């Protein structure tokens, strides 16, 4: 079609007129953008579903006209203006119908920037006690693991049907993609076909697939711990069976069948790993087993091609003292040249993975931000990286470190909720889970100003 041609819509009895140039802003994957496809031929009054004259096609859509007006203005101006009387969730529902949710999200919040995050919402949990983990979904939603269930929230923070594992304790959860949620669970004594790992639909809670482990061609029940996956073919989980079959299980993402099993060698704790992370550049899996789950901390890089531990570090044999620093969490940095760790004093440390020797290079700058209140319950600190920034939870706040030297640049904190027991970044949001009634906060980056 010629650019700038007019199109008329009758939405719920209210007439709107726009141009093909505006419709093109919706994108070809949207319902409105599809009108530009030659198969629709909107320039012809004889098109299916269209009626009109004078060279202007008219389409009737039996939807909410107030929401359509907001969405059409978004396509025209690039900014989102929601009238006070219009419920946002109604607008989101209509945006989903037209295929414009991504446009609404882009206008609702900007690209993720840890130094510009603002508290957008706090969602109270319904389960008693502490949550196990919170995980961000690729589409801006999240899930909270607690006991034998995983509570799932869409990007509008509406709770969906929970994923239930009965009486098995959830150890970890991970979004393989927006339509697949992986859940790792603890095996119960005296039970068979219990625990392990399974894939669920985050939209319906439906069980999609159970991942099996076989040793010597015989299927075994097992406890699954930390989860990870690469970008192409594999899913990883730390595993331990009833007969000391400890190691890292590997499954094919396409078939769900076991593809490999890396048995832990002597001195390398893997079956109880707290953290797994795939490193694309080095084609290796980082495995971290940390205090207090283990008496000694172990961090290693597994090379599955050579079937060996390519690099490792452990505090076993280190001299104990009153100032002994225990590693409580670890994460490989985005350049994959170092691993960042954090201890019980909230000190940050770095390990050089390019060297086969050397200890932790500790920095106490994070300790300056420790705001622990006497008598207040504390949680173990956690680490994350995103977009070149380093994030660390410290009691009731999250610190953001930026630049090549990882200088403290901002702190995320709200007035109540208790200590942060876990946090996760994804879908251009940061989710922080507090230990008080499982309330979690949602942090977003405001959109850039429109000049």
């Amino acid at each position: 079609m010629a650019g700038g041609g007019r199109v008329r819509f009758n939405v719920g009895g209210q007439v709107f007129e726009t141009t093909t140039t505006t419709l093109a802003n919706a994108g070809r994957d949207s319902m409105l953008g599809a009108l530009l496809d030659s198969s629709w031929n909107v320039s012809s009054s004889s098109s299916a579903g269209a009626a009109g004259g004078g060279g202007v096609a008219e389409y009737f859509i039996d939807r909410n006209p107030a929401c359509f007006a907001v969405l059409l203005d978004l396509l025209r101006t690039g900014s989102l203006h929601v009238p006070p009387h219009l419920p946002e969730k109604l607008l989101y529902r209509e945006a989903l119908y037209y295929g414009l949710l991504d446009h609404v999200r882009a206008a609702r919040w900007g690209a993720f920037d840890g130094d510009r995050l603002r508290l957008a919402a706090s969602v109270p949990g319904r389960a008693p006690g502490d949550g196990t983990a919170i995980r961000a979904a690729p589409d801006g939603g999240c899930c909270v693991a607690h006991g034998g269930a995983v509570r799932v929230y869409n990007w509008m923070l509406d709770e969906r049907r929970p994923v239930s594992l009965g009486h098995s304790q959830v150890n970890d959860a991970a979004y393989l993609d927006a339509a697949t949620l992986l859940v790792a669970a603890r095996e119960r004594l005296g039970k068979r076909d219990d625990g392990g790992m399974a894939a669920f639909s985050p939209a319906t809670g439906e069980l999609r697939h159970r991942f099996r482990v076989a040793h010597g061609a015989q299927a075994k029940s097992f406890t699954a711990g930390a989860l990870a996956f690469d970008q192409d073919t594999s899913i990883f989980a730390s595993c331990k069976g009833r007969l000391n079959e400890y190691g890292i299980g590997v499954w094919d993402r396409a078939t769900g069948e076991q593809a490999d099993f890396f048995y832990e060698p002597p001195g390398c704790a893997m079956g109880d790993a707290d953290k797994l992370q795939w490193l694309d550049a080095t084609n290796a899996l980082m495995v971290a087993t940390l205090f207090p789950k283990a008496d000694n901390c172990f961090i290693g890089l597994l090379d599955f091609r050579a079937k060996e531990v390519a690099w490792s570090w452990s505090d076993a044999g280190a001299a104990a003292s009153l100032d002994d620093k225990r590693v409580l969490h670890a994460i490989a940095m985005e350049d994959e040249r170092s691993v960042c760790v954090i201890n019980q004093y909230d000190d940050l440390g770095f390990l050089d993975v390019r060297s086969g020797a050397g200890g932790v290079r500790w920095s106490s700058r994070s300790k300056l931000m420790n705001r622990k209140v006497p008598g207040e319950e504390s949680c173990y600190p956690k680490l994350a990286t995103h977009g070149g920034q380093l994030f660390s939870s410290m009691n009731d706040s999250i610190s953001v470190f930026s630049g090549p030297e990882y200088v403290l640049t901002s702190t995320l904190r709200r007035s109540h909720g208790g200590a942060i027991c876990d946090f996760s970044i994804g879908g251009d949001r940061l989710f922080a889970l507090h230990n008080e009634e499982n309330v979690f906060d949602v942090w977003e980056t405001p959109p850039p100003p429109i000049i």
Side-chain angles (χ1 to χ4, degrees):
M1 289 186 61
R6 290 188 295 164
V7 182
R8 185 178 296 135
F9 294 96
N10 184 331
V11 182
Q14 185 172 340
V15 176
F16 299 86
E17 192 165 315
T18 186
T19 67
T20 57
T21 301
T22 297
L23 292 183
N25 293 332
R28 288 298 178 95
D29 292 334
S30 70
M31 171 187 165
L32 299 179
L35 290 174
L36 296 180
D37 193 284
S38 59
S39 63
W40 285 74
N41 192 21
V42 299
S43 61
S44 171
S45 61
S46 62
S47 298
V56 179
E58 180 175 312
Y59 287 83
F60 177 75
I61 304 176
D62 192 16
R63 303 294 294 191
N64 186 293
C67 291
F68 186 84
V70 173
L71 296 173
L72 187 58
D73 183 66
L74 173 61
L75 295 179
R76 287 169 173 159
T77 66
S79 59
L80 182 66
H81 301 284
V82 185
H85 66 276
L86 187 64
E88 283 202 18
K89 289 187 178 180
L90 174 62
L91 177 66
Y92 299 155
R93 184 193 69 186
E94 294 298 286
L96 177 64
Y97 172 81
Y98 293 110
L100 296 175
L101 265 181
D102 286 343
H103 290 71
V104 172
R105 286 181 55 195
R108 177 80 160 70
W109 68 81
F112 188 89
D113 182 349
D115 290 324
R116 298 182 58 240
L117 290 172
R118 298 293 181 270
L119 182 63
S122 291
V123 181
R126 299 192 303 172
D130 295 339
T132 304
I134 190 167
R135 297 290 180 262
D139 60 0
C142 73
C143 69
V144 179
H146 179 280
V150 180
R151 300 191 178 276
V152 182
Y153 299 83
N154 63 17
W155 82 276
M156 293 178 284
L157 304 181
D158 290 328
E159 187 172 358
R160 292 172 164 173
R161 183 178 178 180
V163 170
S164 178
L165 278 76
H167 299 287
S168 296
Q169 177 77 29
V170 176
N171 285 331
D172 198 5
Y175 283 90
L176 185 62
D177 51 50
T180 309
L181 178 62
L182 302 178
V183 178
R186 183 182 305 167
E187 177 190 22
R188 291 181 296 161
L189 292 176
K191 301 291 183 180
R192 288 198 171 275
D193 201 26
D194 188 56
M197 186 174 69
F200 295 85
S201 164
T204 65
E206 172 192 6
L207 174 64
R208 295 279 181 81
H209 181 73
R210 289 187 69 90
F211 296 86
R212 307 292 182 180
V213 163
H215 300 281
Q218 183 178 358
K220 303 283 187 178
S221 57
F222 67 102
T223 286
L227 299 173
F229 48 87
D230 63 18
Q231 300 300 315
D232 300 314
T233 61
S234 300
I235 298 170
F236 307 92
S238 58
C239 304
K240 61 179 181 177
R242 298 181 182 180
L243 300 175
N244 295 323
E245 299 127 338
Y246 284 23
I248 305 298
V250 188
W251 292 266
D252 184 274
R253 291 177 63 163
T255 66
E257 299 301 316
Q258 181 181 341
D260 203 349
F261 196 92
F262 198 112
Y263 291 91
E264 64 177 35
C268 300
M270 295 182 184
D272 278 322
D274 303 88
K275 172 76 176 181
L276 299 181
Q277 183 181 353
W278 179 256
L279 309 183
D280 284 320
T282 54
N283 201 37
L285 181 73
M286 188 194 80
V287 179
T289 306
L290 309 167
F291 186 86
K293 196 170 185 179
D295 292 334
N296 296 110
C297 302
F298 166 82
I299 303 174
L301 298 183
L302 307 188
D303 185 340
F304 282 87
R305 296 167 298 182
K307 291 291 185 179
E308 65 179 12
V309 179
W311 172 91
S312 66
W313 170 88
S314 175
D315 63 1
S321 68
L322 293 177
D323 294 324
D324 191 23
K325 298 179 178 181
R326 292 289 192 175
V327 172
L328 301 179
H329 204 243
I331 190 166
M333 302 304 291
E334 291 175 330
D335 60 9
E336 301 186 10
R337 297 177 181 176
S338 62
V339 172
C340 180
V341 296
I342 190 168
N343 65 15
Q344 70 269 37
Y345 305 115
D346 293 331
D347 295 332
L348 296 178
F350 294 88
L351 289 160
D352 189 344
V353 302
R354 297 168 297 178
S355 171
V360 182
R361 178 172 55 86
W362 290 104
S363 169
S364 61
R365 57 183 169 230
S366 59
K367 188 176 180 180
L368 299 175
M369 298 304 298
N370 193 338
R371 295 181 63 255
K372 183 178 178 180
V373 178
E376 182 184 75
E377 182 182 356
S378 61
C379 292
Y380 296 123
K382 299 293 179 66
L383 297 167
T385 58
H386 193 281
Q389 294 179 309
L390 174 65
F391 300 77
S392 170
S393 61
M394 299 176 187
N395 293 310
D396 66 343
S397 64
I398 295 176
S399 295
V400 185
F401 301 88
S402 306
E405 299 299 322
Y406 297 107
V407 176
L408 179 64
T409 52
S410 59
T411 302
L412 312 179
R413 182 187 298 118
R414 72 183 182 99
S415 59
H416 63 282
I420 295 172
C421 57
D422 197 19
F423 72 99
S424 181
I425 301 172
D428 285 333
R429 279 172 161 173
L430 183 149
F431 298 89
L433 176 64
H434 296 262
N435 65 346
E436 182 179 304
E437 298 179 358
N438 287 324
V439 61
F440 68 86
D441 296 331
V442 185
W443 296 80
E444 302 169 356
T445 303
I450 297 177
I451 302 176

